[in-house]
């Protein structure tokens, strides 16, 4: 089980952060610890450094229990940085952009593009823009798979997925 867990990074809509520094939260889960330059690189790749640089003590800023001193988008970018630092071959994104504004979503989408390169990624999303570039989409309705294919194939089928896109 431990070996399997090492192979998976998860980013959910409800990010778990700790009453610790930004750097410690990004490095959480790296068993052997992480070098400062690795933490910085992960934060840059997650488009988190612009807001981190504006914090009182940068990476050494305490963020409060569950990141209460940060916005939803900032918490999401820390979670993405954590996943980038872990560098696991399997990535699960569960509504990773659901609770952020459009501008923040754009930055998070760019971070996700960095994150998914070279990884098997399972993305669960209601915001269909999150899935636009997926190689394969699986549409589930009432617990059953109702459609599979690329974005363009599912639009052409004019079924459940196309209906959701139109909405």
């Amino acid at each position: 089980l431990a070996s399997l867990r090492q192979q998976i990074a998860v980013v959910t809509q409800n990010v778990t952060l700790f009453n610790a520094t930004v750097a410690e939260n990004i490095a959480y889960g790296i068993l052997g610890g992480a070098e400062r330059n690795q933490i910085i690189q992960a934060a840059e790749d997650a488009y988190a450094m612009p807001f981190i640089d504006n914090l009182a003590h940068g990476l050494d800023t305490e963020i409060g229990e569950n990141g209460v001193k940060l916005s939803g988008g900032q918490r999401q970018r820390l979670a993405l940085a954590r996943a980038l630092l872990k560098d696991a071959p399997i990535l699960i994104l569960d509504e990773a952009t659901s609770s952020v504004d459009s501008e923040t979503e754009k930055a998070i989408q760019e971070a996700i593009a960095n994150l998914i390169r070279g990884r098997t990624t399972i993305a669960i999303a209601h915001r269909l823009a999150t899935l636009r570039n997926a190689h394969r989409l699986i549409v589930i309705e009432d617990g059953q798979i109702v459609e599979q294919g690329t974005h363009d194939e599912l639009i052409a089928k004019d079924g459940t997925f196309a209906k959701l896109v139109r909405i």
Side-chain angles (χ1 to χ4, degrees):
L1 188 58
S3 175
L4 176 62
R5 286 183 178 146
Q6 289 175 351
Q7 303 303 310
I8 300 171
V10 179
V11 179
T12 64
Q13 69 182 18
N14 298 319
V15 178
T16 300
L17 296 173
F18 303 96
N19 190 12
T21 67
V22 170
E24 290 167 331
N25 272 281
I26 292 172
Y28 177 78
I30 304 299
L31 298 177
E35 299 291 325
R36 184 87 168 180
N37 63 328
Q38 293 173 304
I39 294 169
I40 291 168
Q41 186 63 55
E44 286 175 354
D45 291 345
Y47 295 89
M49 281 310 292
F51 85 80
I52 292 171
D53 286 337
N54 288 325
L55 297 174
H57 303 287
L59 285 167
D60 298 314
T61 302
E62 298 274 338
I63 60 170
E65 192 64 40
N66 224 7
V68 295
K69 296 179 182 177
L70 303 175
S71 72
Q74 291 169 335
R75 289 192 299 269
Q76 284 301 119
R77 282 179 274 178
L78 290 187
L80 291 166
R82 182 185 289 167
L84 279 161
L85 185 60
K86 185 172 183 181
D87 198 25
I90 300 170
L91 173 64
I92 299 173
L93 300 173
D94 185 3
E95 296 287 357
T97 63
S98 68
S99 60
V100 298
D101 59 63
S102 297
E103 185 177 324
T104 303
E105 182 181 9
K106 184 176 185 243
I108 291 173
Q109 289 293 352
E110 291 174 17
I112 288 172
N114 287 334
L115 186 56
I116 65 175
R117 276 191 207 101
R119 290 177 173 74
T120 298
T121 304
I122 299 168
I124 301 149
H126 286 91
R127 286 190 183 180
L128 301 181
T130 305
L131 308 173
R132 180 117 180 107
N133 297 318
H135 295 270
R136 183 168 151 203
L137 296 168
I138 299 172
V139 181
I140 299 173
E141 189 173 51
D142 297 324
Q144 300 293 316
I145 295 174
V146 294
E147 294 177 326
Q148 294 184 57
T150 65
H151 182 276
D152 292 340
E153 289 169 349
L154 294 178
I155 293 295
K157 283 183 183 178
D158 200 32
T160 302
F161 183 78
K163 183 173 83 176
L164 291 171
V165 169
R166 283 192 297 273
I167 291 172

